[in-house]
Amino acid sequence: MPKEDDKNKTVRCSLCKKRQEQVDKMIVGPGVYICNECVELCQTFLDEDETGPRRKAPKELDVQTLPKPHEIKAQLDAYVIGQESAKVAL
């Protein structure tokens, strides 16, 4: 049963602090409220991030340019001491 204080409490967006009456919709979560304007802004950031430099399409894997197993082991030998069975397994 809600307390009397909870009934009088103004619901505000947890991000921008706008009151519920100032926005179209309010998403309610456990102890958090997010207005539709903040959701739209966040979606804009996410959409921009996907087209940014971090989200480039992966390069096609060219099997011809992959190092040979003995070349991989030689690189590991240069940096890893011991663990011969692990190096061979890689």
Side-chain angles (χ1 to χ4, degrees):
M1 184 168 181
K3 297 178 191 174
E4 192 64 35
D5 292 340
D6 291 341
K7 291 180 185 177
N8 297 330
K9 188 175 181 182
T10 303
V11 174
R12 291 183 177 270
C13 175
S14 298
L15 300 174
C16 69
K17 305 300 182 202
K18 288 183 182 176
R19 291 187 317 274
Q20 187 171 10
E21 301 82 32
Q22 294 176 298
V23 296
D24 292 332
K25 294 182 183 178
M26 190 71 71
I27 298 171
V28 180
V32 68
Y33 303 93
I34 304 174
C35 72
N36 63 300
E37 295 172 7
C38 286
V39 170
E40 290 171 10
L41 184 62
C42 290
Q43 186 61 50
T44 302
F45 290 142
L46 291 172
D47 291 343
E48 288 174 0
D49 189 43
E50 287 181 6
T51 60
R54 294 183 339 168
R55 297 285 186 181
K56 291 181 181 175
K59 294 180 182 177
E60 286 292 320
L61 183 61
D62 184 12
V63 178
Q64 301 300 326
T65 61
L66 287 176
K68 305 289 185 237
H70 69 276
E71 295 171 335
I72 295 172
K73 184 173 181 308
Q75 281 287 65
L76 290 171
D77 285 338
Y79 295 99
V80 179
I81 298 171
Q83 305 181 28
E84 294 303 314
S85 61
K87 290 190 255 183
V88 171
L90 286 174

